[in-house]
Amino acid sequence: MKRKKLVVLSGAGISQESGIKTFRDSNGLWENHDILEVASPEGWRKNQKLVQEFYNKRRKQAQECQPNLAHKILARLEERVDVTIITQNVDDLHERAGSSHVIHLHGELSKAQSSINPELTYPIQGWEIKEGEFCELGSQLRPHIVWFGEPVPKMDESIQYAGIADYFLVVGTSLQVYPAAGLINYVPSNAKKFIVDLQRPDYHLSEDMFFIEKRASDGLKLLESIILGEL
């Protein structure tokens, strides 16, 4: 029997239970920084030291955090269904929980990339990218993060997976960050769609979307029982 395909779009809300702060606070700042200072090519050109220090701290914090129950449930579901996780998160908590197929739309904290060729990426040993660490082309290494104004190279691959989903789950994201939020438009009309979040997203929920108003771990416990009950 052919295994069902579960495609997950995850956001900051799933990592929040592990102690990782959400991308934007209510005041529009990220860890007390204007977002464009630390998440744009212009910010990098203006102050490389600030940007490196910012992501070094985020990387150290992420390494000290552990996957929570929501991450573990998604990993556990691989025993019964084909799971593809498309995440807006830059931490590696999905992988550390055991998920084997994770697409990072916005890059990965655990990697560095060339400042002049984004296709040249390197694993980071420890938690720091240091000044004077260069890629093979001789440019300073920078965080492997998709900043505002930069293309999202994994988007086409993500659209392909959304288009073959039997179940499509949105967890921990408000469907406000594009182009990621647009993935739901590529999901087949006969697929079952679930949204798990503490707050109903500011998004028109069609009749075929099932909204679970719970935090990620509690919502995924319910979702797991629904999916396994149908297999």
Side-chain angles (χ1 to χ4, degrees):
M1 183 176 174
K2 189 176 179 182
R3 285 160 64 96
K4 296 285 189 180
K5 298 184 184 301
L6 167 64
V7 179
V8 181
L9 174 62
S10 73
I14 196 170
S15 293
Q16 194 172 20
E17 291 179 48
S18 292
I20 294 179
K21 289 187 178 180
T22 54
F23 181 70
R24 297 175 195 240
D25 292 326
S26 58
N27 57 9
L29 302 178
W30 187 12
E31 298 282 358
N32 298 315
H33 289 276
D34 180 282
I35 290 171
L36 294 181
E37 285 184 352
V38 294
S40 71
E42 294 76 19
W44 171 253
R45 287 192 289 269
K46 180 180 176 183
N47 193 339
Q48 288 189 17
K49 183 178 180 183
L50 171 68
V51 174
Q52 293 283 34
E53 288 179 350
F54 178 82
Y55 287 98
N56 285 342
K57 289 178 181 177
R58 304 287 78 71
R59 196 175 297 110
K60 189 172 188 292
Q61 178 199 38
Q63 290 178 0
E64 292 169 351
C65 293
Q66 299 300 320
N68 62 59
L69 181 59
H71 296 108
K72 293 173 183 176
I73 289 173
L74 290 177
R76 191 165 68 208
L77 279 167
E78 289 191 14
E79 298 172 7
R80 300 291 303 277
V81 294
D82 286 340
V83 182
T84 297
I85 297 174
I86 304 165
T87 186
Q88 298 172 103
N89 300 336
V90 295
D91 61 65
D92 62 352
L93 294 177
H94 282 300
E95 289 92 339
R96 284 161 55 195
S99 289
S100 62
H101 189 199
V102 183
I103 300 171
H104 285 269
L105 281 176
H106 297 158
E108 299 177 65
L109 270 178
S110 60
K111 294 180 180 179
Q113 74 180 51
S114 165
S115 295
I116 57 178
N117 183 349
E119 294 185 6
L120 293 176
T121 64
Y122 309 86
I124 296 172
Q125 303 300 322
W127 56 271
E128 282 184 291
I129 300 176
K130 297 176 181 176
E131 186 177 351
E133 290 187 317
F134 301 114
C135 76
E136 60 210 67
L137 301 178
S139 76
Q140 171 65 44
L141 292 177
R142 53 159 270 192
H144 179 49
I145 303 294
V146 177
W147 288 330
F148 288 101
E150 295 183 326
V152 182
K154 296 292 183 77
M155 194 63 199
D156 287 345
E157 180 185 6
S158 299
I159 287 171
Q160 291 177 1
Y161 280 103
I164 59 172
D166 296 300
Y167 300 100
F168 189 78
L169 164 65
V170 178
V171 55
T173 176
S174 59
L175 291 174
Q176 296 298 305
V177 178
Y178 284 84
L183 283 172
I184 200 166
N185 298 320
Y186 294 93
V187 179
S189 58
N190 62 341
K192 295 190 175 181
K193 307 176 187 73
F194 301 87
I195 296 178
V196 174
D197 206 282
L198 279 171
Q199 291 186 315
R200 182 174 289 268
D202 185 16
Y203 180 89
H204 175 66
L205 301 181
S206 58
E207 292 181 358
D208 63 345
M209 292 182 193
F210 184 51
F211 178 58
I212 301 174
E213 192 172 354
K214 295 179 181 290
R215 66 178 190 156
S217 56
D218 293 332
L220 286 197
K221 280 192 283 188
L222 176 58
L223 181 76
E224 181 182 37
S225 66
I226 292 172
I227 291 177
L228 295 183
E230 293 185 351
L231 298 180

